[in-house]
Amino acid sequence: QVQLAESGGGSVQAGDSLRLACASSGRSFGHYATGWFRQAPGKEREFVAAISSSGDLTYYSESLKGRFTVSRDNAGNTVFLQMNNLKPEDTAVYNCAVRLYGSSWDANRLEAFNEYDVWGLGTQVIVSS
């Protein structure tokens, strides 16, 4: 069974960078596409980025493309989210999740949180102006 644990969140100033990590235990992480989502207080959960099982395909929320980069180290069972030039509106709880059964690389499916089967508990990111 796959279990996920996010880390790397914290409180930073606008313009700073953070790198979040999503570490997996259990079955091989490298078999599954992984997504990052975020949820700010009082707002709906929002898709951030996704990466294919091998890491050769990535997909981003259009509004975040260019500032955020997703990558993975399958040998280390970890997926990363590099966040640069952070803004106060990036303040949220960030969760990673894996698709155990879905295989299509389709934007609508990648952005849909119900396409993901296992979720981590999240890591808090706070960006001050």
Side-chain angles (χ1 to χ4, degrees):
Q1 182 176 351
V2 176
Q3 293 181 316
L4 305 176
E6 302 92 339
S7 62
S11 295
V12 298
Q13 296 292 315
D16 286 348
S17 298
L18 281 175
R19 188 173 81 153
L20 305 184
C22 172
S24 170
S25 61
R27 293 188 293 180
S28 177
F29 200 30
H31 291 170
Y32 310 115
T34 303
W36 284 97
F37 290 77
R38 69 183 185 182
Q39 188 165 19
K43 295 188 176 181
E44 294 187 353
R45 184 163 21 190
E46 175 187 17
F47 170 78
V48 174
I51 187 166
S52 62
S53 58
S54 64
D56 58 344
L57 296 174
T58 57
Y59 176 69
Y60 297 93
S61 165
E62 194 64 33
S63 64
L64 299 174
K65 191 184 299 183
R67 292 196 300 123
F68 289 17
T69 303
V70 62
S71 62
R72 71 188 302 153
D73 171 13
N74 283 340
N77 281 349
T78 304
V79 169
F80 302 98
L81 183 68
Q82 177 68 41
M83 307 186 296
N84 297 329
N85 190 23
L86 284 162
K87 304 176 180 181
E89 53 263 41
D90 294 319
T91 295
V93 174
Y94 286 72
N95 296 89
C96 62
V98 297
R99 300 174 72 199
L100 296 181
Y101 307 110
S103 60
S104 63
W105 193 255
D106 172 81
N108 288 333
R109 292 185 182 275
L110 293 173
E111 294 180 6
F113 69 86
N114 58 3
E115 283 283 325
Y116 295 80
D117 307 290
V118 179
W119 292 76
L121 295 179
T123 185
Q124 176 77 59
V125 172
I126 299 173
V127 185
S128 302
S129 58

